[in-house]
Each structure stands twice: as C-alpha cells, then as structure tokens.
Amino acid sequence: MTQQVTLRPLISRERITARVSEIGQRITQDFAGEPVMLLGVLKGAAIFLADLARHITLDTSFDFIAVSSYGNQQQPSGEVRLVKDVDESLEGKNVILVEDILDTGLTLTYLRNLLLARRPKRLKIAVLLDKTPRRLQPVAVDYVGFEIPDEFVVGYGMDFAERYRNLQDICILELASEAV
Ligand code: IMP
Ligand code: MG
C-alpha cells in the first residue's frame, strides 16, 4: 500500500496577500502609535507572521514560542506542552499572538491563559484560519483571516508530517491508500 496525496487549492496566494494586508492595517489602527510584539507559534505561523509584520506600520518586535500537543488530529487531549518559551518578558507589552489555525481551540486556550499570567498590557490573538465546526473549547480571537470547512489543509506555513509548508497557496490535503 502506498499513500496517494492529492492537493486541492483552497485559498490562493492573491487572496492570502490581500487579507493579510487588511489585518496588518487593522492592527496598525487598533494599536495606533504604540509598540507591538508579534508572538508567533512555531512552526506553522512563521510565514503568516513574516508577511503580517510587513503590513504593520508600528514599532514592531517578534518573538516565538513552540508547543506540542498530546493526542492526535482525531483525538486531541487538550494537554499542551510548552517546548520553547518566549525570550523577552511580556509584562506591560502589547502582545499579538499569531497562530496558523484555530481548530479545536485547545492550544489557544492554553496559550492565552499562559500569556495572560505574564501580565501583558494587552493580549490580542490573530489566526490565519478558523475551522469553526471543530471547536471543542470556545476562544475569542481578534483577527481572523479566513473561515474554512473541516478539512486538513497545508501550505503557507502549514504542514503534513513537516512537508508542504512552502506552498504559496493553501491547499486541502487528501490521502488515499492505494494497493500496489
Ligand atoms: P487546536 O486548536 O488546539 O486543535 O490546534 C490547532 C493546531 O493544530 C494548529 O496550530 C495546527 O498546528 C494544527 N492543525 C489543526 N488543523 C490543521 C490542518 O488542517 N493542517 C495543519 N495543521 C493543523
Ligand atoms: Mg500550530
């Protein structure tokens, strides 16, 4: 048996660019005149953060965190482990948590609570994609790129087994097992 992978385009690079630019402008307005720290969740949000940052015309810094979730895609456990913490203190700062996908909501709920305990001045959340039908835990997010259906997607930073992060368009990944 080999696994046949099919990639079906869902969101084009042009639509991504236009939407990321709009979010950057909104952030620029919402934090007018104040510095912001973009806090990316590795690795999936790295490309979104890099593009978003260039549409924000404020004094902007970056930091990154990495988490690993127990369980799997079908059965998330809700238990999240912090693999890499921030380098800088968040206290008194305007922090925008930048994440690729809001799926069950378990990861962002964990991160939100963790980061609020560090006493930022403001904490906002920006997600590129929102899979609303999959939500197990409600999370209030401030900036959303696109609502998407319950499909597994790759590209623009998002992976399947570490592959496809470099695709410029966001694609639905379909796996079919084939007897050979
Ligand atoms: P959750 O909201 O805690 O379920 O987890 C969201 C995380 O799961 C995201 O940050 C992604 O890393 C991963 N994830 C969820 N759906 C997808 C997908 O369709 N493609 C790639 N990664 C996904
Ligand atoms: Mg992620």
Side-chain angles (χ1 to χ4, degrees):
M1 298 272 273
T2 56
Q3 273 198 322
Q4 183 79 35
V5 172
T6 309
L7 296 171
R8 207 150 43 84
L10 178 68
I11 308 172
S12 68
R13 66 200 75 177
E14 291 81 10
R15 287 182 66 206
I16 298 170
T17 303
R19 188 74 186 117
V20 171
S21 161
E22 284 171 8
I23 296 173
Q25 288 169 35
R26 283 226 0 242
I27 289 173
T28 302
Q29 288 164 9
D30 291 354
F31 289 90
E34 295 193 38
V36 293
M37 178 201 275
L38 300 182
L39 180 51
V41 185
L42 292 173
K43 304 173 193 167
I47 293 179
F48 176 36
L49 185 147
D51 283 346
L52 182 62
R54 285 175 284 180
H55 290 284
I56 297 173
T57 51
L58 300 170
D59 175 355
T60 302
S61 60
F62 298 170
D63 207 338
F64 293 93
I65 48 176
V67 292
S68 120
S69 350
Y70 296 102
N72 55 44
Q73 200 63 39
Q74 281 70 41
Q75 292 219 298
S77 68
E79 208 185 324
V80 180
R81 184 168 58 97
L82 195 63
V83 174
K84 184 219 169 289
D85 205 339
V86 292
D87 296 332
E88 304 282 325
S89 162
L90 303 184
E91 190 165 349
K93 295 192 180 150
N94 292 316
V95 177
I96 303 169
L97 182 61
V98 180
E99 171 66 310
D100 53 2
I101 307 188
L102 172 55
D103 187 26
T104 63
L106 297 171
T107 306
L108 276 180
T109 300
Y110 168 86
L111 287 177
R112 191 169 182 279
N113 293 333
L114 180 93
L115 299 177
L116 283 175
R118 312 276 177 88
R119 295 186 296 166
K121 181 178 178 193
R122 287 163 84 186
L123 177 66
K124 298 257 183 190
I125 302 179
V127 296
L128 181 65
L129 304 178
D130 180 358
K131 282 193 207 175
T132 318
R134 295 253 312 160
R135 200 79 81 253
L136 296 176
Q137 178 85 54
V139 192
V141 291
D142 304 282
Y143 309 101
V144 178
F146 303 92
E147 302 260 347
I148 63 163
D150 181 7
E151 303 273 11
F152 193 84
V153 294
V154 294
Y156 197 71
M158 291 163 284
D159 75 310
F160 172 67
E162 295 302 325
R163 296 180 62 201
Y164 309 112
R165 293 193 195 274
N166 59 322
L167 299 180
Q168 295 194 58
D169 305 312
I170 295 172
C171 299
I172 295 175
L173 180 138
E174 282 162 359
L175 293 176
S177 292
E178 268 191 351
V180 284

